[in-house]
Amino acid sequence: MADTKARILHATGELFRRQGYTGTGLKQIVAEAGAPFGSIYHFFPGGKQQLAAEVIRSSGRAYQDLVVALLDASPDPVVAIETSFAAAAETLVATGYADACPIATVALEVASTDETLRAATAEVFAGWVDAGTDRFVRWGFATPDARRLAIALITSLEGAFLLCRAARSTEALDAAAGAVVAAVRAAQQT
Amino acid sequence: MADTKARILHATGELFRRQGYTGTGLKQIVAEAGAPFGSIYHFFPGGKQQLAAEVIRSSGRAYQDLVVALLDASPDPVVAIETSFAAAAETLVATGYADACPIATVALEVASTDETLRAATAEVFAGWVDAGTDRFVRWGFATPDARRLAIALITSLEGAFLLCRAARSTEALDAAAGAVVAAVRAAQQT
DNA sequence: GTCTATACACGGATAGAC
DNA sequence: GTCTATCCGTGTATAGAC
């Protein structure tokens, strides 16, 4: 079965998002995916670490596409940012504050404990920054400003996710969006 | 020994910061603290969860005091923010990108898995927001603006920590500080 | 070539020795 | 009252049955 692998990747992504890396067991993954235990080592000979690396890259890329699609929907950066943060808030509420960033929890867990996986998360974030920079360049910003704004957008979103999930409130997403908008307007005036 | 408890709390805080909640074992904690295993259940009858709750509150409070002291050092909010983010970057580099927020990793791990600990992290963040709001009020901002700026400050710092630890670079802290400064200046002009 | 049963270490927790 | 030895479950990984 080729799509057994896809089911494992998908189930692992969902569990990592909610429970993190060390908090998710391989047995729980195969149970969720409806796959036999041996399939993990068939498709991922490197075990949990290899599975995690592939999940980080695939779910990281999927989330990048989702956010870029949201940003592309508006020709005005301020509107794009506000609608994107509002959409993130809606998703958060709709999923009981579970579905935020798919790799943030794992990224913090592995940052000082697993060099291979840390590098995988760094690649994903670097891709997000590059994609965001492209958007801001198309909105008319010079490349250095565009990169700073892209990073500010991502860090604000990630930090807001943290506070929102802890507090079970979307207030932080509103405040964070305001800061990004202020940074965009400040860059527009130069 | 009364300070056995303090050593356990301190060791747990250090390990949680680097490895998270599920990634840190009780045996590792007592080894690091130089304490016998039974001490954990002597001082924390509720086991790992109770220990974690106390660590979240104590290290969360300690970090709040540290950041507030940094913010208090400057009468100008923009200078205070820039020096605080710069200090965070220095600490990050000095510790090999290990010492960032003491509770962020744990907060994400427990947000959807342990209601008791989620509430503890929410309390800590709420305290940070209140303390930050006080600072901005003293800098002359109206309370609603002050609260929004405090949240923007915290979310930017947290999100930047995530990207910095993953990328092993302090670039994100610079960009995040810029966004907070822009938000402060925008609020000053109203 | 797929999957099940098992190995072995480590997780949290506890009971009882001192 | 402090600490050690142990319990049972779960963790990852593997070997071998089919």
Side-chain angles (χ1 to χ4, degrees):
Chain A
M1 292 285 179
D3 72 336
T4 297
K5 181 174 181 177
R7 287 209 314 281
I8 291 174
L9 284 170
H10 182 259
T12 305
E14 292 295 308
L15 292 169
F16 278 7
R17 189 196 291 245
R18 292 175 171 78
Q19 308 177 341
Y21 178 66
T22 52
T24 301
L26 297 182
K27 288 174 185 172
Q28 188 182 9
I29 290 170
V30 294
E32 192 79 13
F37 189 79
S39 296
I40 287 189
Y41 287 89
H42 174 72
F43 294 111
F44 309 95
K48 192 182 188 182
Q49 191 190 45
Q50 184 188 345
L51 168 59
E54 293 198 25
V55 166
I56 288 165
R57 289 196 170 85
S58 64
S59 59
R61 182 54 188 250
Y63 198 70
Q64 173 180 326
D65 294 343
L66 187 134
V67 173
V68 165
L70 272 168
L71 294 177
D72 272 335
S74 290
D76 176 50
V78 170
V79 174
I81 289 163
E82 285 171 348
T83 55
S84 297
F85 276 69
E90 274 181 40
T91 303
L92 222 46
V93 172
T95 60
Y97 292 91
D99 278 14
C101 174
I103 68 160
T105 310
V106 175
L108 287 180
E109 286 181 282
V110 303
S112 300
T113 57
D114 189 311
E115 181 56 21
T116 301
L117 295 182
R118 180 202 65 76
T121 63
E123 269 184 45
V124 169
F125 288 132
W128 292 6
V129 170
D130 289 344
T133 302
D134 284 349
R135 292 303 116 181
F136 280 104
V137 166
R138 289 191 198 180
W139 279 322
F141 295 90
T143 301
D145 280 349
R147 182 174 174 88
R148 276 191 287 272
L149 291 172
I151 294 175
L153 171 67
I154 296 165
T155 55
S156 294
L157 188 66
E158 291 288 358
F161 276 151
L162 171 64
L163 263 68
C164 288
R165 292 190 69 198
R168 294 196 161 260
S169 150
T170 59
E171 183 188 11
L173 272 167
D174 297 334
V180 180
V181 166
V184 167
R185 291 213 166 110
Q188 278 175 333
Q189 286 170 358
T190 57
Chain B
M1 291 286 178
D3 73 335
T4 298
K5 181 174 181 178
R7 287 208 315 280
I8 291 174
L9 283 170
H10 182 259
T12 305
E14 291 295 307
L15 291 169
F16 277 7
R17 191 195 289 245
R18 292 177 170 77
Q19 308 176 344
Y21 178 66
T22 53
T24 302
L26 296 182
K27 289 171 184 172
Q28 188 182 9
I29 289 170
V30 293
E32 191 79 14
F37 188 80
S39 297
I40 287 189
Y41 287 90
H42 175 70
F43 294 110
F44 308 95
K48 191 182 188 183
Q49 192 190 43
Q50 184 188 345
L51 169 59
E54 293 198 25
V55 166
I56 288 165
R57 290 197 170 84
S58 64
S59 59
R61 181 55 188 245
Y63 198 70
Q64 173 180 325
D65 293 343
L66 188 136
V67 173
V68 165
L70 272 168
L71 293 178
D72 271 336
S74 291
D76 176 50
V78 169
V79 175
I81 289 163
E82 285 171 348
T83 56
S84 297
F85 275 69
E90 275 181 38
T91 302
L92 222 45
V93 171
T95 59
Y97 292 91
D99 277 15
C101 173
I103 68 160
T105 311
V106 176
L108 287 179
E109 285 181 283
V110 304
S112 300
T113 58
D114 189 312
E115 181 56 22
T116 300
L117 295 182
R118 181 202 64 76
T121 64
E123 267 183 47
V124 169
F125 288 133
W128 293 5
V129 170
D130 289 344
T133 302
D134 284 348
R135 292 304 114 181
F136 280 104
V137 165
R138 288 190 198 181
W139 280 321
F141 294 90
T143 302
D145 280 349
R147 182 173 174 87
R148 275 191 287 273
L149 291 173
I151 295 175
L153 171 66
I154 296 165
T155 55
S156 293
L157 188 66
E158 291 287 359
F161 277 152
L162 170 65
L163 263 68
C164 288
R165 292 190 69 199
R168 295 196 159 258
S169 151
T170 59
E171 183 189 11
L173 272 167
D174 297 333
V180 179
V181 167
V184 168
R185 292 212 165 110
Q188 279 174 333
Q189 288 169 357
T190 56

